[in-house]
Amino acid sequence: MLSIDYDKSEWDLLQAVVNPFLSKHIRGFKENSKRYAKPNNFESLKENDEYMNILEIIIANREFDLFSYKDVMNSIGISSIHKTFERK
């Protein structure tokens, strides 16, 4: 159930927020059989509040999901991964 919720949350964020923003401000390209992304205007992107807000939302969602996952792992007795999820 946790992975389904996480997947849905990531998918919703990607479709509703991230992809529309990226399609306006980031250009994808292929070089030497690898895919890359490059901002259309890097300097303006660094000052773009919407971009910073999107990054903060992504980070907050992933942090929450990692700590939720840690709680589930603790509750079922798996302790070998604890170090992976500790805050620094």
Side-chain angles (χ1 to χ4, degrees):
M1 184 68 153
L2 181 63
S3 66
I4 293 170
D5 291 343
Y6 176 77
D7 288 346
K8 175 147 179 36
S9 172
E10 282 282 320
W11 178 259
D12 291 346
L13 180 62
L14 186 68
Q15 295 303 310
V17 178
V18 177
N19 282 345
F21 183 87
L22 292 180
S23 68
K24 292 178 195 169
H25 301 283
I26 308 290
R27 180 176 313 275
F29 64 97
K30 189 175 181 179
E31 185 176 291
N32 298 326
S33 74
K34 292 184 180 180
R35 302 236 15 108
Y36 298 93
K38 179 180 179 181
N40 295 332
N41 184 330
F42 181 67
E43 293 305 317
S44 71
L45 190 61
K46 290 191 306 186
E47 302 298 322
N48 187 309
D49 286 337
E50 183 180 8
Y51 176 67
M52 299 307 288
N53 292 342
I54 289 170
L55 289 178
E56 185 57 39
I57 290 168
I58 291 169
I59 290 167
N61 279 354
R62 291 187 180 168
E63 243 181 17
F64 175 79
D65 292 334
L66 285 173
F67 287 101
S68 297
Y69 181 70
K70 177 185 171 188
D71 290 343
V72 169
M73 298 305 282
N74 285 339
S75 71
I76 60 174
I78 298 175
S79 61
S80 62
I81 63 162
H82 289 184
K83 295 284 183 205
T84 305
F85 298 111
E86 286 181 2
R87 284 186 184 252
K88 296 183 181 191

